[in-house]
Amino acid sequence: MTTDRTHRNRKRALRIAHFIGLFIAMSIICIPGLWIVLNSFRPTVEIMAKPPVWIPNELNLDHYRAMFGGNGQGGVPVLTYFRNSMVISVTSTIIALLVGMGGGYAFARYRFKGKAALFVGLMATRAVPGVALSLPLFILFARIGIIDTHFGMILAYVAMNVPFTVWLIDGFFRQVPRELAEAAEIDGCTRWQAFWRVEFPVARAGIASAGIFAFLTSWNEYALASQLTRSVYSKTMPVGLLDFTSEFTLNWGGMCALAVLMIIPALILTFLVQKHLIAGLTFGGVKG
Amino acid sequence: MAQVHLRSVVKKYGGLQVVHAINLDIADGEFVVLVGPSGCGKSTTLRMIAGLEDISGGEVLIGDRVVNDLPPRERNLAMVFQNYALYPHMSVRENLGFSLKIAKRSQSEIDRAVDDAAEILSLTPLLDRKPGQLSGGQRQRVAMGRAIVRHPDVFLFDEPLSNLDAKLRTQMRVEIKKLHQRLKSTIVYVTHDQVEAMTLADRIVIMRDGHIEQIGTPLEVFERPNTTFVATFIGSPPMNMLPARVGGGRVVLTDGTAFDIPPGHKVEEGQDVIFGARADNIMPVGHSLPATEHVAEVKMSVQLTEPLGTETLLFAQLAGQEVQAKMLNPRPVASGEVLTFQINLDKCHLFDAETGASLRV
Ligand SMILES: Nc1ncnc2c1ncn2[C@@H]1O[C@H](COP(=O)(O)OP(=O)(O)OP(=O)(O)O)[C@@H](O)[C@H]1O
Ligand SMILES: [Mg+2]
């Protein structure tokens, strides 16, 4: 009896500890994000208050109004930045995915000379930090005249994302048994049809996750973008955040408001693709 | 419907040759089983017929077309893989209809063909499930269904039953045999299980290290094995193989026990041979089949028994080697008991000790 009770008590204690642990972890992860959202809705005085005001007294849309307002009232060209970010991120993601699919498939399915070396080389390009690249890239881009263009940014992001998409997609194609494509070929498909009708849909979940990753990397990238973009022609949203700093002041509220606008598309995308991820993970066509 | 011919077919992986100039003629509607130990090149041969593997040398013909350079889709065959290779993102219905859809058949035609196949294999209640929601046996049937909807010229099976449990395997074996009788199509079937080979095949092809050891009907390879390899590979328990020498017109075992030369064999005086006898042909006196013309008697001590009900398997000792024998109408036998056994020499074999080739003429 007593051992039974101590056992139950211990179980309960464990569960509570588990809960507290999770709560702390989640808080650490979420509070900065929530703080940004919160700050974007409250007056500057409250943001700057010391000690911090945890429970807001007043929430309003002033920062958003100002941001979208004219130049005089602290407005920034949000829509232009948003468009730049979208064009650059979406295009570079699509290209990185296509290249990644080609490369990943080749790595997973074919044997060729220098495969291992090529693979390691590809990964090694990712070992160089982006900041270290920014100056050489700046000089290079300036020479060939693609500074401050969508094209230049897309090029940089594709180069940045391709090693990763190749690596990730290679892993997913490896999990798709070879026999699936072979069965499709025997069923009358060409190599090409076998890929698009069988292997691609089966690896879809993995490709989607590579896509999210590539998109988010481009969408949030700051170090390179801050060097390679100069004006509203190509500035992306992360760089746009800097518009809220002036020589002597920092407009925290405005920055937070723009940050919230940045987070929303990323959230929506992740949410949309996530359904795909779960639906796609139904392997089981082969015994295993 | 079609015949399949392999003419000196060779497969090399780089410098490594795994299939050595195989010749095989398969008649229209014939059920041929390729059998052999793991790694002997069965799958490779099958995959060359399918077009999934390049042919390094020789020719493969389906019907009267040389198909060496045709992709799989132009060979009009169907294949069932060991792991089934069902399309995991499609329902059973879509899996079955996939090949017809690729061939751009009308939806009504596809539906009819799928329903027929589902009916034959009792898959009708499962049509809307995904492969992930099926049991192993059900997946196996879907894989077969996918093969039969297209009415191919040739069916290829690569160890289709090896992932099933023993009972289901026996059941599916019967299904496959029925299916063959019904469809009357040419089947090439790969297995490493000799029981499957014996029960299913019209003709068995026994392979070893990329060579064909023997081709024949199940009874032929069982009763007249060409080599010691075939003799021990086919049949369960495996044939007893005793080293011996020909002396004074008789076969003399290493301990001096001598038998008459089994009829139908040509040997030379002093030749080293291997004497082969199946357990079915070594039986204790009083528990055997009616005696035939050529019988040898030998006393052996029984070390171990395995009662199987209608018969008991006896493990005895002869010329310093373990020999398996059978006892009909069994009675209990004590370990160490010495019994007199009758060996039916009409069914025994002599092989050359060096080459392993049968000395039968
Ligand atoms: N891609 C490859 N590269 C090199 N050698 C290979 C390759 N594929 C198969 N082999 C070799 O070819 C030989 C025949 O292989 P195969 O798969 O045909 O054997 P199998 O008879 O089907 O055996 P199992 O019963 O185990 O399936 C084996 O020795 C194997 O190691
Ligand atoms: Mg095999």
Side-chain angles (χ1 to χ4, degrees):
Chain A
M1 288 307 276
T2 47
T3 57
D4 204 35
R5 188 167 316 140
T6 53
H7 183 71
R8 201 152 10 138
N9 281 345
R10 195 161 44 187
K11 227 171 154 184
R12 187 176 303 156
L14 259 178
R15 204 163 44 212
I16 291 170
H18 190 96
F19 182 80
I20 293 173
L22 273 183
F23 185 81
I24 293 172
M26 284 310 287
S27 309
I28 292 171
I29 294 168
C30 290
I31 282 185
L34 290 177
W35 198 245
I36 288 176
V37 176
L38 197 60
N39 277 356
S40 74
F41 288 112
R42 49 190 201 175
T44 311
V45 270
E46 211 171 88
I47 298 173
M48 305 298 280
K50 256 180 206 169
V53 180
W54 289 99
I55 312 293
N57 293 318
E58 186 203 341
L59 292 176
N60 59 41
L61 291 171
D62 284 353
H63 295 304
Y64 291 91
R65 209 169 291 135
M67 187 164 62
F68 284 105
N71 245 338
Q73 303 121 33
V76 291
V78 186
L79 290 178
T80 312
Y81 291 164
F82 184 83
R83 220 195 51 213
N84 288 342
S85 264
M86 263 303 171
V87 169
I88 292 169
S89 301
V90 169
T91 317
S92 69
T93 300
I94 290 174
I95 297 175
L97 269 188
L98 287 177
V99 178
M101 259 156 61
Y105 189 78
F107 275 118
R109 284 285 190 269
Y110 296 106
R111 293 205 280 173
F112 47 88
K113 261 218 178 81
K115 177 168 160 176
L118 193 59
F119 201 76
V120 171
L122 215 50
M123 286 304 113
T125 62
R126 291 288 284 155
V128 184
V131 187
L133 279 177
S134 61
L135 186 62
L137 265 187
F138 177 80
I139 297 170
L140 201 67
F141 276 30
R143 282 276 163 82
I144 52 179
I146 51 172
I147 284 287
D148 200 22
T149 58
H150 287 170
F151 176 76
M153 289 311 297
I154 290 170
L155 198 64
Y157 287 164
V158 165
M160 205 164 76
N161 279 325
V162 155
F164 196 81
T165 53
V166 167
W167 176 68
L168 210 63
I169 294 175
D170 163 67
F172 283 103
F173 275 128
R174 260 173 222 276
Q175 284 178 27
V176 179
R178 246 168 233 271
E179 286 89 348
L180 286 187
E182 292 178 347
E185 276 192 77
I186 286 178
D187 271 348
C189 291
T190 59
R191 290 287 298 125
W192 190 244
Q193 279 176 314
F195 176 78
W196 283 110
R197 285 178 167 262
V198 175
E199 292 179 291
F200 174 72
V202 173
R204 192 181 59 203
I207 294 168
S209 54
I212 295 192
F213 192 87
F215 179 83
L216 292 183
T217 310
S218 319
W219 184 259
N220 293 328
E221 206 283 334
Y222 173 77
L224 280 180
S226 65
Q227 300 301 311
L228 302 179
T229 63
R230 304 272 98 189
S231 69
V232 289
Y233 287 122
S234 70
K235 264 196 193 179
T236 55
M237 290 178 90
V239 184
L241 284 178
L242 234 56
D243 286 4
F244 292 100
T245 61
S246 55
E247 211 167 333
F248 303 110
T249 59
L250 272 175
N251 180 356
W252 287 115
M255 241 188 221
C256 288
L258 184 56
V260 168
L261 290 190
M262 254 177 72
I263 294 170
I264 289 172
L267 270 186
I268 291 176
L269 180 84
T270 314
F271 199 74
L272 283 181
V273 181
Q274 191 199 14
K275 270 207 298 212
H276 250 293
L277 291 187
I278 293 161
L281 285 176
T282 45
F283 282 88
V286 295
K287 173 95 180 177
Chain B
M1 300 297 114
Q3 321 92 305
V4 177
H5 304 284
L6 308 188
R7 303 260 161 85
S8 308
V9 170
V10 169
K11 177 69 192 179
K12 286 184 192 158
Y13 287 110
L16 180 72
Q17 187 161 352
V18 297
V19 173
H20 301 269
I22 280 185
N23 285 294
L24 179 61
D25 292 300
I26 300 168
D28 184 19
E30 194 175 20
F31 197 135
V32 165
V33 175
L34 305 185
V35 67
S38 189
C40 70
K42 309 177 296 283
S43 299
T44 308
T45 307
L46 196 74
R47 291 166 57 83
M48 284 194 286
I49 300 175
L52 297 173
E53 209 78 63
D54 289 335
I55 298 166
S56 317
E59 281 182 342
V60 173
L61 288 88
I62 297 175
D64 37 25
R65 274 191 314 173
V66 175
V67 297
N68 282 35
D69 298 319
L70 291 186
R73 65 176 186 282
E74 286 171 33
R75 299 189 183 195
N76 193 25
L77 30 79
M79 182 155 171
V80 177
F81 292 83
Q82 179 171 6
N83 62 9
Y84 314 142
L86 302 180
Y87 310 126
H89 58 300
M90 299 182 196
S91 67
V92 170
R93 184 188 297 283
E94 289 164 328
N95 263 283
L96 294 179
F98 184 69
S99 60
L100 299 179
K101 197 166 161 199
I102 293 292
K104 300 212 163 59
R105 303 290 181 76
S106 73
Q107 192 57 46
S108 61
E109 195 181 344
I110 297 177
D111 288 342
R112 204 168 338 113
V114 168
D115 287 339
D116 280 352
E119 187 68 42
I120 293 174
L121 293 162
S122 12
L123 288 170
T124 312
L126 308 174
L127 279 177
D128 294 314
R129 296 219 199 147
K130 290 267 174 75
Q133 302 165 308
L134 300 178
S135 73
Q138 290 166 338
R139 285 181 204 176
Q140 212 283 330
R141 289 215 299 276
V142 176
M144 300 237 298
R146 197 170 62 180
I148 66 174
V149 282
R150 346 177 2 214
H151 300 291
D153 287 339
V154 181
F155 284 97
L156 306 175
F157 290 83
D158 192 353
E159 311 209 16
L161 305 184
S162 59
N163 278 327
L164 303 180
D165 63 50
K167 192 171 161 206
L168 209 50
R169 200 167 350 176
T170 320
Q171 202 178 319
M172 286 310 297
R173 215 162 65 199
V174 178
E175 300 264 329
I176 290 177
K177 195 146 192 178
K178 278 190 195 151
L179 207 63
H180 178 238
Q181 280 170 356
R182 177 182 185 134
L183 303 172
K184 299 190 173 44
S185 41
T186 313
I187 296 184
V188 186
Y189 186 107
V190 164
T191 178
H192 59 253
D193 178 355
Q194 55 96 15
V195 178
E196 238 169 68
M198 293 291 282
T199 49
L200 286 172
D202 291 331
R203 271 196 309 157
I204 296 183
V205 177
I206 296 143
M207 292 183 66
R208 178 197 191 185
D209 295 339
H211 294 279
I212 291 182
E213 286 276 310
Q214 187 169 359
I215 305 177
T217 64
L219 280 187
E220 272 167 14
V221 297
F222 185 78
E223 291 186 340
R224 301 174 74 94
N226 277 349
T227 60
T228 48
F229 175 78
V230 176
T232 45
F233 192 80
I234 299 288
S236 170
M239 189 185 281
N240 299 297
M241 300 299 236
L242 300 166
R245 172 170 288 178
V246 180
R250 310 191 81 201
V251 183
V252 186
L253 301 184
T254 49
D255 68 341
T257 315
F259 306 124
D260 288 341
I261 305 279
H265 289 82
K266 186 174 184 313
V267 292
E268 284 159 26
E269 189 66 17
Q271 187 177 7
D272 283 322
V273 295
I274 289 172
F275 177 78
R278 293 195 191 279
D280 315 64
N281 301 314
I282 309 176
M283 293 180 169
V285 174
H287 296 271
S288 61
L289 295 169
T292 50
E293 209 175 321
H294 302 89
V295 175
E297 291 205 347
V298 60
K299 278 193 178 3
M300 294 192 283
S301 100
V302 176
Q303 326 241 275
L304 199 77
T305 62
E306 265 186 8
L308 300 172
T310 51
E311 60 193 28
T312 293
L313 212 51
L314 306 176
F315 293 75
Q317 202 76 24
L318 179 62
Q321 223 181 306
E322 188 178 77
V323 166
Q324 297 187 34
K326 261 184 197 169
M327 178 186 232
L328 300 183
N329 309 314
R331 67 167 171 83
V333 178
S335 176
E337 198 175 328
V338 176
L339 296 176
T340 305
F341 288 84
Q342 289 182 324
I343 301 179
N344 179 358
L345 291 178
D346 285 310
K347 301 251 169 168
C348 290
H349 309 266
L350 289 182
F351 302 93
D352 187 282
E354 241 168 80
T355 63
S358 171
L359 295 170
R360 198 178 280 277
V361 284

